[in-house]
Every structure is written in C-alpha cells, then in structure tokens.
Amino acid sequence: MYAQMVKSTGKGVKTREEMSEDERAFQDKIDADTKIEPRDWMPEEYRKTLVRQIGQHAHSEIVGQLPEGNWITRAPTLERKMILLAKVQDEAGHGLYLYAAAETLGVSRDEMTEDLLSGKMKYSSIFNYPTLTWADMGAVGWLVDGAAIMNQVPLQRTSYGPYSRAMIRICKEESFHQRQGYDIMMKMAQGSPEQKRMAQDALNRFWYPSLMMFGPSDADSVHSAQSMAWKIKINTNDELRQKFVDQTVPQAEYLGLSIPDPDLKWNAERGHYDFTEPDWQEFFDVIKGNGPCNTERLGDRTRAWEEGRWVREGLMAHANKRAARIAAE
C-alpha cells in the first residue's frame, strides 16, 4: 500500500479519492483534531510510523542517560551531583512513558529493545558524540535538551492520544533540564578564562550535532509529508531547526559565547537568522553507526540488556505464578 501511495501522489500521501472509506473516516478525525486512541481503527502505515517514531524517541531517552551518567560522580559539587542524578532519573522515566505508549500499538518494549540492539531501530544521533568536560553537561542541557523541547512541545498536539499525553509531563521536565544546562554554561562563561574556554569549546562541538537533531532537511526527509498529513508531526524539520537557531543565538550572545558559524547573520527581510547547514554526510554516517561513540553506546545497552535478563525472567516467573494462583482461587 505504501508503494502505491508514493506512486499516486509523488509525496507519499493519498488523495481523498484514493482512500478507502475507512481511511477517509480516519483522516476526517485527524483533520478535526480528534485524538486517535489505541482501540480505534487506524491504517497499518500510521501504526508502523508511530512505532518507529515513539520507539526511536524512547531509545533516545534511555541511551541519552549514558553520556550524562558518566559525569555524576565527577560533578564539581554535591549539589551538581544531585541535580545531574535527578536529571538522569528523569530520562529513565521518559523512556518508560514512551515505551508504554508504544506498547498500546501492539509492540512490546522487549521487541523494541531487540530491534535497537540489532540495528533495526535507531536513536538520536546526538548521543553518539562524547562528553569530554563538565562544560559538556551544560551544552547538553542547554543545546541538546533545548532542541529536544523544540521538537517535543508540538508533539503535545500530536494525533495519537497516548503519545500526546506522555509528552505533557516530559516537556515540563525537559524545560527544567534546559534551564539547568544553561545555568552551568552561565557559571562557566562568567568564571575564569579557562572555564570560559571550556564553555566555548563545548558549544563549538555540540552546535552542529544539535542542529542535526531535527532530522535531515525537508527535501531529504522520507516520512515528513505523510506524518504531517496524519498530524504525527506538527512542524517540518527545517521549520523547527530555524526556530531553534533564532532562539539560541541571543542566548549565546548573553553568555558572551560565539556560535561557531562565520556565516551566521540576521536577515531582516526574512525575520530570521541565516546559518550554515550541518554536514549532512556526517549525519548519515552517524546514523549508519559510524559516529564517535556508536559502538560504545550500543555496547553499553547490549551489556545492560544481557546482564538484566535474569531479573526480567524472575519478574515474569513471579507474575505468571501470581496470575495462576489468582485464577485457581
């Protein structure tokens, strides 16, 4: 069916005349901003698109704990340790909410994890870059979580109910994470010359990977047209990337830091900043598994999955025994 959709419109989206009666009724609900719930009829491609997007989102939350968890014991003060620990715990919770939302579509978190470890499913490219200094914790919070918020706030209005509702709490917590990161950058930028150099270096290394978080340019985005029609996505990749740049540049200026883009300038006619696009070849290389930390990240997840197998099996055995006992009463 998907091949026919691509062939019929050239954009991967059927016209109403090409839709079945069920598909037209489904699209009418989408157009009326009625949430789609798990027991509602939905096109199989809609379900698959959601599983892919929510699963990737959930994996990103879990893998995203790794570069920050590495700094919990090395944070400069007890207060910073407590804040970072709370943040990493939040990310674990976000993964849980999202896996639960995906499970309403008929796929288990075990299946999604196996697909991640086999390379079938992906996670955000940003987490394949190393965190080398404490200033990187500031850059991750300010830039990475800032980009995540830009992506995720519109998802509170996404058409699938469980996903939409999960995003409400996630966005509130991500807003705290962004402010926490900006606070670190402010302290570093206002500190010693060495601390300010560390802050600038972190910004230099995370700027373009953060721009890549919005996905490829609209011209190269395979799924955007249909996802927009189904209101799984509310904004295009390029719209969100532009909004992120426009919001972040003044924040960097306030910190006294420089965006590492010599061609960055305000375009009064457009009302936006002109900026240099990321190196898309680098983006696709990282997605394919060739980033600086791809092997390390997947190795950590595989090891955790295997070492936790006995716990999962024990919990399932206990649950099965309890269910059998209740059924026999």
Side-chain angles (χ1 to χ4, degrees), residues 179-232:
R179 289 193 289 271
Q180 175 254 350
Y182 194 71
D183 180 68
I184 291 175
M185 294 297 279
M186 186 178 297
K187 294 293 192 298
M188 301 288 285
Q190 295 175 352
S192 68
E194 182 181 1
Q195 288 173 317
K196 186 170 184 178
R197 282 194 296 272
M198 289 173 63
Q200 183 64 60
D201 175 64
L203 171 56
N204 292 347
R205 286 183 288 106
F206 276 94
W207 175 249
Y208 284 108
S210 295
L211 295 187
M212 295 177 192
M213 286 181 65
F214 299 97
S217 65
D218 292 344
D220 297 323
S221 183
V222 176
H223 305 290
S224 282
Q226 185 61 76
S227 291
M228 295 283 287
W230 279 332
K231 297 186 181 179
I232 293 174

Side-chain angles (χ1 to χ4, degrees), residues 76-324:
T77 67
L78 178 59
E79 180 183 29
R80 291 293 185 189
K81 285 181 173 67
M82 293 171 63
I83 293 172
L84 186 56
L85 179 59
K87 181 185 178 185
V88 171
Q89 288 175 321
D90 283 348
E91 309 296 4
H94 298 172
L96 177 62
Y97 307 150
L98 292 163
Y99 283 133
E103 285 180 320
T104 66
L105 294 159
V107 58
S108 72
R109 66 191 70 187
D110 283 8
E111 290 176 285
M112 287 184 282
T113 301
E114 294 289 356
D115 284 346
L116 169 68
L117 301 182
S118 70
K120 184 178 178 181
M121 292 189 80
K122 305 296 183 182
Y123 56 89
S124 179
S125 60
I126 190 70
F127 300 120
N128 289 310
Y129 291 86
T131 48
L132 304 178
T133 71
W134 174 249
D136 288 10
M137 293 299 94
V140 167
W142 171 36
L143 299 176
V144 176
D145 291 320
I149 293 168
M150 201 69 69
N151 262 321
Q152 294 171 7
V153 165
L155 290 176
Q156 295 175 101
R157 296 183 285 118
T158 194
S159 61
Y160 190 58
Y163 193 20
S164 170
R165 291 187 286 272
M167 293 313 304
I168 294 173
R169 178 167 178 173
I170 290 174
C171 286
K172 289 179 180 178
E173 293 177 349
E174 292 290 2
S175 295
F176 163 77
H177 299 168
Q178 195 269 349
R179 289 193 289 271
Q180 175 254 350
Y182 194 71
D183 180 68
I184 291 175
M185 294 297 279
M186 186 178 297
K187 294 293 192 298
M188 301 288 285
Q190 295 175 352
S192 68
E194 182 181 1
Q195 288 173 317
K196 186 170 184 178
R197 282 194 296 272
M198 289 173 63
Q200 183 64 60
D201 175 64
L203 171 56
N204 292 347
R205 286 183 288 106
F206 276 94
W207 175 249
Y208 284 108
S210 295
L211 295 187
M212 295 177 192
M213 286 181 65
F214 299 97
S217 65
D218 292 344
D220 297 323
S221 183
V222 176
H223 305 290
S224 282
Q226 185 61 76
S227 291
M228 295 283 287
W230 279 332
K231 297 186 181 179
I232 293 174
K233 287 178 65 171
I234 308 300
N235 303 96
T236 71
N237 297 349
D238 289 340
E239 287 173 349
L240 292 173
R241 192 169 7 256
Q242 181 69 69
K243 186 176 180 181
F244 175 75
V245 172
D246 291 346
Q247 174 179 288
T248 307
V249 170
Q251 295 173 352
E253 291 174 349
Y254 182 81
L255 292 174
L257 301 177
S258 300
I259 300 294
D261 180 356
D263 296 323
L264 180 75
K265 62 181 178 181
W266 177 254
N267 187 320
E269 184 177 343
R270 292 198 312 120
H272 297 287
Y273 282 96
D274 293 334
F275 62 96
T276 303
E277 290 284 317
D279 180 347
W280 292 118
Q281 185 59 53
E282 177 183 331
F283 170 77
F284 287 113
D285 283 345
V286 173
I287 291 295
K288 291 176 183 176
N290 300 317
C293 297
N294 285 70
T295 301
E296 177 184 345
R297 300 291 185 247
L298 275 181
D300 287 342
R301 286 301 300 131
T302 300
R303 188 162 47 254
W305 186 245
E306 292 302 326
E307 291 177 355
R309 186 178 299 278
W310 69 273
V311 178
R312 298 192 302 277
E313 291 174 350
L315 289 172
M316 287 303 300
H318 173 73
N320 292 336
K321 286 182 179 179
R322 186 172 184 273

Side-chain angles (χ1 to χ4, degrees), residues 4 29-30 45 68 136 139 178 190 215 219 288 292 327:
Q4 293 173 340
K29 292 177 69 175
I30 297 289
E45 285 301 321
E68 294 182 304
D136 288 10
Q178 195 269 349
Q190 295 175 352
K288 291 176 183 176

